[in-house]
Amino acid sequence: MAITIKELAAAAKVSVATVSRALNDDPKVRPETKKRVKHFADLLDYNPNILARNFKKGTSNIIGLILPDIYGEFFTEIIRGVDAVCYEHGYYPLVASSHSERSMAETMINFMGQGIVGGYIVMAPVLSDDLKSIIQKKNLPIVLINGRMTYEDCDSVGVDNQASAKAMVTHLIEKGYKRIAHISGSKKNNDATRREKGYVAALEEQGIAVDKKMIKSGDFDIVKGEQICREFLSSKNKPDAIFCANDMMAIGCYKAAATMGFKIPEDIAIAGFDDIFVSQFMTPRLTTVRVDTELIGKTAADLLIKRIAESQISSFSKIVIPSTIIDGESS
Amino acid sequence: MAITIKELAAAAKVSVATVSRALNDDPKVRPETKKRVKHFADLLDYNPNILARNFKKGTSNIIGLILPDIYGEFFTEIIRGVDAVCYEHGYYPLVASSHSERSMAETMINFMGQGIVGGYIVMAPVLSDDLKSIIQKKNLPIVLINGRMTYEDCDSVGVDNQASAKAMVTHLIEKGYKRIAHISGSKKNNDATRREKGYVAALEEQGIAVDKKMIKSGDFDIVKGEQICREFLSSKNKPDAIFCANDMMAIGCYKAAATMGFKIPEDIAIAGFDDIFVSQFMTPRLTTVRVDTELIGKTAADLLIKRIAESQISSFSKIVIPSTIIDGESS
DNA sequence: TTGAAAGCGCTAACAC
DNA sequence: GTGTTAGCGCTTTCAA
């Protein structure tokens, strides 16, 4: 066991209270006393037991980061961003996935009232009623990532999926594409539905009729993306461009095009969403929407840490992280 | 603040001690008492304050997962594996990267004696003296991932990089390739040096002279991989195959080959290491070494949790996670 | 400016 | 089998 405040107090010949105050930079402590205490703390290699501190204060410097799953770049970058900000502020991120078999709501309840975390960042692609009620009766600060941005009861950070998708499709139209198909994500996924709405909005704004047959769900999956692209390419009314709801499905399209002998972008233009790492190395370079995912994580952590530190509740923020169109050679 | 053990005790009309015992399944408690306590616990929505428990017991059900950085599939899968096992055992993973500017050693010291974690999993691609001394005088259980496997002072889990690389190169030789080049990782990275050794060992075993000019360091970087591949392909003594120390560099090679007009595998065969997600979707499918990274994380977490739970120290394990050769169409 | 002491919620030794 | 109580290391009143 490491050295305790008592031993440090004895060494510095002051009371434990003074040690505590000195180490917490209480202005009431005389500078020379403070100095002596700190000197001995260094000397004896003293580290306050954070557990005891958190326990006593009823808060925690640990942030619960609850993700629907842990895979792929998106989550990694969120974790990375959260980690970076946590480090700056002396917080630690506790990462938990919802483990599919249990609901996300359960995971959150598990954390609650246990004292382990001082607040959480929740990434909920689907905002169930369970989850909503938990957020509403929350006893800990919560920041939502990419949740429904209209939600009024907590802070949230995310991308404007709809506007970004709309911008991308508009960009394709401006480049001269007339028949733009869309491979959407899962119907249940909030991001996916927003992106599809953006696609529809762009067409409507440009006076292009929306053809339902030109929208197919690929579940964000690379293999499904390939499959659907194959269907599009072999249909009689072949599209001249495909906007995929994520880059993974776009990669699937590349594969389909290659094996079917279609050249990108001459025979079929492809656009994605996310700008994952490999996209910049694909030949031709994928046209896509870049989202600074790490910034989402950072912003969420910043928000949460502020929220944990403050006592009174100020109004909730909804922060939109901007996205950029990467005009690659695939369109 | 959530309900405490005291209030629960009052409700169930027993002492706090009985509540504690009942909830911890102490066999001394009468079944009916246990039942009543649990009933009230459910009713009142009681969750024990884990912080208080950990504090009191001087342990923690939180595992510190210290990574050199957080990006790419490898780390994600480690986190994923650790998370899965943690969940099973009621533990939580606390993820921290070493944040480059501070050393990994510092991060570990930060955790120590603070009570926050009950042990850690450390992924150290380089085992510095700092780190070694910390491991040696450790006051908390540690499991090393992919560290130097010869290290004797703690548990470790990892891949046999050398044997796997050797197997891959031998495989290439058996396929008929005569002039196999190697794009290695960073000289400082333990994985990289082991893979290079495996490459050399395979050549030697097959009676092929090792040509130093055929080994160049690409730092595990996709762009450097492309660059070096370009150099190899334009040299007068062009290799007929390139074994890259990771898939990212292999992707770089694909790019170089495509732009220089070389066909894979006819003009140049490419092999990688890691079998990252996109490798299976590359055209042609990349020949590579598959490592079950998630299993590494799982195994490490398993080991650590056992270590935390047990009181006396048994001998340290070194677990080697097997790897497989994926015989793709790029060779 | 400093010290003494209470107490956070829980577990475990001891008493009954 | 159950209750009483000390105490984990720290912060924070309250006194001095």
Side-chain angles (χ1 to χ4, degrees), chain A residues 7-214:
Chain A
E7 307 169 67
L8 176 54
K13 297 198 207 310
V14 290
S15 73
V16 290
T18 304
V19 171
S20 171
R21 282 191 277 253
L23 262 29
N24 287 302
D25 268 331
D26 189 320
K28 274 184 260 181
V29 179
R30 220 174 342 134
E32 45 198 278
T33 316
K34 209 176 273 187
K35 213 168 167 184
R36 196 167 79 251
V37 170
K38 285 186 176 169
H39 168 71
F40 277 100
D42 272 0
L43 201 70
L44 300 178
D45 212 16
Y46 170 78
N47 283 306
N49 183 317
I50 306 276
L51 228 53
R53 172 181 294 173
N54 285 346
F55 165 55
K56 166 66 183 170
K57 297 182 101 173
T59 67
S60 170
N61 64 337
I62 297 178
I63 285 178
L65 175 55
I66 304 181
L67 304 171
D69 203 335
I70 303 177
Y71 70 85
E73 275 174 63
F74 191 80
F75 300 118
T76 310
E77 286 179 28
I78 295 277
I79 296 175
R80 190 180 160 85
V82 171
D83 171 67
V85 171
C86 278
Y87 170 60
E88 276 172 32
H89 294 85
Y91 277 72
Y92 295 102
L94 197 153
V95 178
S97 76
S98 54
H99 295 282
S100 51
E101 75 271 20
R102 68 173 167 183
S103 73
M104 187 158 258
E106 242 181 290
T107 309
M108 291 181 66
I109 290 174
N110 250 337
F111 276 162
M112 290 200 156
Q114 290 200 136
I116 279 196
V117 303
Y120 15 36
I121 297 173
V122 177
M123 174 153 169
V126 188
L127 216 53
S128 68
D129 289 342
D130 276 11
L131 219 56
K132 277 187 203 163
S133 78
I134 287 179
I135 292 170
Q136 254 144 0
K137 71 166 182 181
K138 65 178 172 296
N139 44 17
L140 288 175
I142 297 179
V143 173
L144 227 55
I145 286 182
N146 261 22
R148 203 144 48 89
M149 301 297 282
T150 53
Y151 203 70
E152 297 292 341
D153 288 328
C154 72
D155 293 302
S156 58
V157 179
V159 172
D160 190 335
N161 281 294
Q162 183 166 343
S164 306
K166 187 178 162 197
M168 173 55 88
V169 175
T170 305
H171 172 82
L172 292 174
I173 295 170
E174 282 167 357
K175 274 196 153 183
Y177 295 102
K178 308 275 182 222
R179 291 191 44 77
I180 304 171
H182 178 49
I183 305 184
S184 66
S186 157
K187 289 273 177 235
K188 295 199 168 174
N189 183 293
N190 189 49
D191 294 349
T193 55
R194 307 290 292 183
R195 288 173 196 179
E196 184 174 330
K197 275 188 189 156
Y199 160 82
V200 170
L203 293 187
E204 283 174 349
E205 196 178 276
Q206 302 291 320
I208 299 178
V210 177
D211 180 355
K212 291 253 166 160
K213 279 187 229 111
M214 297 291 261

Side-chain angles (χ1 to χ4, degrees), chain B residues 73 195 220 222 244-254 270-280 282 285-290:
Chain B
E73 276 174 63
R195 289 173 195 178
F220 287 138
I222 190 168
C244 302
N246 74 350
D247 283 4
M248 275 299 170
M249 296 192 294
I251 295 178
C253 291
Y254 271 56
I270 305 288
F273 200 113
D274 283 346
D275 196 35
I276 59 176
F277 185 77
V278 292
S279 299
Q280 60 186 300
M282 287 168 40
R285 203 272 185 239
L286 181 64
T287 292
T288 187
V289 178
R290 172 177 297 163

Side-chain angles (χ1 to χ4, degrees), chain B residues 204-279:
Chain B
E204 283 174 349
E205 196 178 275
Q206 302 292 320
I208 299 179
V210 177
D211 180 355
K212 291 254 168 162
K213 280 187 228 111
M214 296 291 263
I215 304 176
K216 296 188 182 182
S217 169
D219 267 339
F220 287 138
D221 182 73
I222 190 168
V223 175
K224 285 217 179 128
E226 181 180 347
Q227 202 177 304
I228 292 174
C229 180
R230 219 173 271 283
E231 290 171 25
F232 277 136
L233 291 180
S234 50
S235 70
K236 27 192 172 242
N237 220 337
K238 185 179 93 55
D240 56 3
I242 301 177
F243 167 52
C244 302
N246 74 350
D247 283 4
M248 275 299 170
M249 296 192 294
I251 295 178
C253 291
Y254 271 56
K255 184 107 180 174
T259 54
M260 291 176 76
F262 286 89
K263 286 215 71 146
I264 300 170
E266 294 82 354
D267 304 325
I268 182 77
I270 305 288
F273 200 113
D274 283 346
D275 196 35
I276 59 176
F277 185 77
V278 292
S279 299

